[in-house]
Amino acid sequence: MTAKFSFGRMVLMTTLLVGAALFLAPLYVMVVTSLKDADEIRNGNLLSLPSSLNFSAWGQAWSTACTGVECKGLEPFFWNSVWMAIPAVLISTTWGALNGYVLSLWKFRGSETFFGLLLFGVFMPFQVVLLPMSQVLGWLGISSTIGGLIFVHCLAGLPSTTLFFRNYYAAVPGELLNAAKLDGAGFWQIFLRIIVPMSTPIVMVTLIWQFTQIWNDFLFGVAFSGADSKPVTVGLNNLANTTSSVKAYNVDMAAALIAALPTVAVYVLAGRYFVRGLTAGAVKG
């Protein structure tokens, strides 16, 4: 029994290690390539380590690489994404929490139908809303602005955030709300003093989910942004597709890593809370 168990465990660990190596191989290639100069890239191979740590490609990708006709690097695009993602994540999460609270604990006539219709937004391809959304942004006077992108991402993320919070709050005992109502607590008192303090797991899941979706979005960024409001994904695409006499693969790799660093940092710092939120029933139902 012990021999069989040890052999099975060895096979499992070997399979996991091989899978992890295959999954991490592209990241390894990106990192080592970004630390090489042009001569090392031409004379070496993809897997070879750099002879020394050279961060010049990172500096070029950040501040001087050409992204079309301008050569300002990813810095302006990066900060556009920061100013867009933070308010969009906070607004969509708060909005989804209120929706989930109402749809699970303050049901009204037609609430289930309303929730079902709202869920269409989770599965609807975003391409079908590009034209009507552009018209709405024009009517509101916020097209080609960071404010317009915030508005779009709040609307696009609302079905998912509502789904998360609604399913999480559905597990809250009704007796708890009835007791609070008997003590004179109203809608907002129950939400702020009872529901919000117990919402840490689902809040962390939603924040991480929304930040990842918004930061990595390219479709809305390229469709609704202007010359001064393009997010980092659009800047990265422009940088990679800008032609030059010699292709600077190290700069492209460094730029891709810079664009990915915020989402990687979020998962490294808050990934355990994401897992706890999932296991606490954040996406059940």
Side-chain angles (χ1 to χ4, degrees):
M1 180 64 70
T2 303
K4 291 182 179 179
F5 176 77
S6 299
F7 177 76
R9 187 176 182 83
M10 182 179 65
V11 171
L12 175 62
M13 294 301 296
T14 301
T15 303
L16 292 175
L17 289 174
V18 171
L22 292 174
F23 184 80
L24 294 174
L27 178 61
Y28 169 80
V29 171
M30 291 174 65
V31 172
V32 297
T33 302
S34 70
L35 298 176
K36 298 176 182 177
D37 57 28
D39 292 334
E40 279 191 280
I41 294 174
R42 287 193 296 268
N43 298 328
N45 59 71
L46 286 176
L47 301 179
S48 62
L49 291 171
S51 58
S52 61
L53 297 181
N54 185 351
F55 291 96
S56 60
W58 286 71
Q60 186 176 346
W62 177 253
S63 60
T64 62
C66 294
T67 54
V69 296
E70 295 184 340
C71 296
K72 298 180 181 179
L74 284 185
E75 183 178 4
F77 303 95
F78 184 93
W79 291 118
N80 285 340
S81 285
V82 171
W83 307 138
M84 173 192 69
I86 293 177
V89 169
L90 295 178
I91 294 172
S92 61
T93 300
T94 303
W95 198 354
L98 287 170
N99 280 353
Y101 171 56
V102 171
L103 292 173
S104 60
L105 303 176
W106 294 80
K107 293 183 180 293
F108 53 89
R109 179 178 297 180
S111 60
E112 293 299 325
T113 302
F114 176 79
F115 179 63
L117 293 174
L118 186 64
L119 286 184
F120 277 112
V122 177
F123 308 103
M124 182 183 299
F126 289 142
Q127 288 82 353
V128 302
V129 303
L130 292 182
L131 181 58
M133 185 63 73
S134 65
Q135 292 177 328
V136 171
L137 294 177
W139 294 336
L140 296 176
I142 55 175
S143 59
S144 302
T145 65
I146 292 179
L149 289 174
I150 294 172
F151 179 75
V152 169
H153 283 296
C154 287
L155 292 182
L158 187 60
S160 297
T161 59
T162 300
L163 173 65
F164 290 165
F165 281 101
R166 187 264 186 189
N167 287 346
Y168 187 82
Y169 291 153
V172 176
E175 294 79 4
L176 183 63
L177 268 72
N178 292 333
K181 292 177 183 178
L182 288 175
D183 289 338
F187 179 90
W188 290 108
Q189 287 178 312
I190 294 174
F191 179 69
L192 296 175
R193 296 186 179 182
I194 298 176
I195 301 301
V196 171
M198 65 173 60
S199 301
T200 300
I202 184 59
V203 168
M204 295 306 301
V205 168
T206 308
L207 288 175
I208 295 173
W209 174 270
Q210 279 296 95
F211 182 80
T212 303
Q213 297 299 310
I214 293 172
W215 186 272
N216 290 335
D217 171 73
F218 177 79
L219 179 64
F220 291 154
V222 74
F224 301 130
S225 63
D228 298 325
S229 60
K230 296 184 184 300
V232 70
T233 50
V234 177
L236 178 62
N237 177 75
N238 293 347
L239 187 150
N241 290 322
T242 299
T243 58
S244 60
S245 57
V246 178
K247 185 64 174 175
Y249 292 103
N250 52 349
V251 177
D252 290 350
M253 296 299 180
L257 290 170
I258 290 173
L261 279 178
T263 52
V264 172
V266 166
Y267 274 103
V268 169
L269 297 176
R272 57 178 179 174
Y273 300 106
F274 185 80
V275 175
R276 289 177 186 175
L278 293 177
T279 57
V283 295
K284 66 178 178 147

